[in-house]
Amino acid sequence: MSDIANASIATEAPIARYRSVYRQLKSLGVTVPDSIAEAIEFADQPIELADHRAVHKKLANATPKDFGDSLTEFAQSYMLAAIAEKDAYFRAEVNKAKLARLQTVFMEHEKGLFAQLCKMFNQVAPEFTKNALGLQGVREGRFSEVGSYTGEQLNALVDSREAAKPLAPIYSVYQSLGSALSFIEGDPDKEHPGQYEDEVKRLAGPDTSQQQIVNAGHMVKLAALGVDAIRPIRDLMPFLALPYYGADLNLTHPLGS
């Protein structure tokens, strides 16, 4: 595959990502500026030129005097349509224009979008925290021993799962938007603790200590790695980690501003 064809494909993936983020934002009820909606509509336009049948008809009905001009117009229309359909360089350049417009409008409005997502998350987070505190009595290495939970702890687990339901979709869109804008980047080294602590920091209240962040980050890491000892609460991550260590949830902008 040529470098030009690769360039065209390389722009299609981020365009699709922005399109997905837009749909997710709308489904959550986030107010999305018109300029973003227009950029999405622009990106959705197929890479093809106008139907050249009208020019063909003009050629067929041309007078002998106008035949030369009509033929030139038809040839231009036909060739441009062929280029739009087949030429990889042409398609790559059009996709670059689409992607550039999406990047520009999302960057222009990212603060407002993140502010809405954080507000939505933080409005429902206290209910989760209230229930999650009931799991503090379970030792970190013994979460898999559900049979040893007290009645209160079992109730806390069930209630925490219910309270996590409104958090998960908001946080998923937050992550998707942050990833599309390259504000959130995963570390390919899954063993490295830094990425988990960074995630915890984005979720942590202003009074959270560094030790709480380290401890919570370690718990999130264990869940991400699929450690059996953490399996019964894996579906509550990363939300449970901070309340478990006594810290409040307070989602903030990915860049901390």
Side-chain angles (χ1 to χ4, degrees):
M1 187 177 291
S2 70
D3 290 341
I4 292 174
N6 283 330
S8 179
I9 293 171
T11 54
E12 289 173 1
I15 288 172
R17 182 183 300 177
Y18 278 114
R19 185 182 294 115
S20 175
V21 169
Y22 171 73
R23 290 170 179 165
Q24 292 176 61
L25 288 166
K26 294 291 287 183
S27 70
L28 271 183
V30 172
T31 300
V32 181
D34 290 342
S35 59
I36 290 181
E38 290 168 0
I40 292 294
E41 185 178 357
F42 173 73
D44 283 343
Q45 297 305 306
I47 301 179
E48 59 186 30
L49 299 185
D51 193 335
H52 56 269
R53 284 177 296 183
V55 184
H56 186 278
K57 184 176 181 180
K58 182 177 180 181
L59 173 65
N61 294 327
T63 64
K65 179 182 177 182
D66 297 329
F67 181 80
D69 290 339
S70 296
L71 179 62
T72 299
E73 184 179 356
F74 174 74
Q76 290 173 338
S77 173
Y78 184 85
M79 290 303 296
L80 286 173
I83 289 172
E85 181 179 356
K86 301 294 184 183
D87 188 81
Y89 179 79
F90 180 91
R91 299 180 71 84
E93 291 303 304
V94 173
N95 277 337
K96 284 181 183 178
K98 290 181 174 183
L99 180 57
R101 181 168 177 178
L102 287 168
Q103 290 171 329
T104 297
V105 294
F106 269 92
M107 283 299 295
E108 285 176 351
H109 299 288
E110 54 91 4
K111 289 188 183 299
L113 295 174
F114 278 117
Q116 291 184 71
L117 290 170
C118 290
K119 182 178 180 180
M120 294 169 70
F121 184 95
N122 294 332
Q123 284 177 335
V124 292
E127 180 65 19
F128 175 83
T129 298
K130 180 185 71 174
N131 292 297
L133 290 174
L135 291 169
Q136 284 182 315
V138 182
R139 288 172 53 191
E140 184 177 324
R142 303 186 67 178
F143 276 110
S144 62
E145 301 173 15
V146 179
S148 65
Y149 284 25
T150 67
E152 289 79 5
Q153 290 166 347
L154 285 172
N155 288 335
L157 181 60
V158 172
D159 293 342
S160 294
R161 284 176 173 156
E162 189 65 26
K165 289 180 180 178
L167 294 178
I170 301 169
Y171 190 65
S172 176
V173 179
Y174 171 96
Q175 293 277 79
S176 296
L177 179 58
S179 177
L181 295 171
S182 298
F183 291 171
I184 299 174
E185 297 182 9
D187 191 326
D189 180 5
K190 298 301 182 184
E191 296 284 348
H192 194 281
Q195 62 178 313
Y196 304 107
E197 292 176 13
D198 287 343
E199 181 171 18
V200 168
K201 288 176 184 177
R202 292 191 287 269
L203 284 159
D207 298 326
T208 307
S209 70
Q210 182 59 33
Q211 190 59 55
Q212 285 173 316
I213 288 172
V214 171
N215 291 341
H218 180 68
M219 180 180 274
V220 174
K221 174 184 172 181
L222 293 178
L225 295 177
V227 174
D228 284 343
I230 215 89
R231 181 173 43 80
I233 58 165
R234 188 178 181 187
D235 59 334
L236 297 177
M237 293 297 171
F239 314 130
L240 176 63
L242 282 162
Y244 181 79
Y245 286 105
D248 291 330
L249 287 171
N250 185 63
L251 187 64
T252 56
H253 189 284
L255 301 183
S257 58

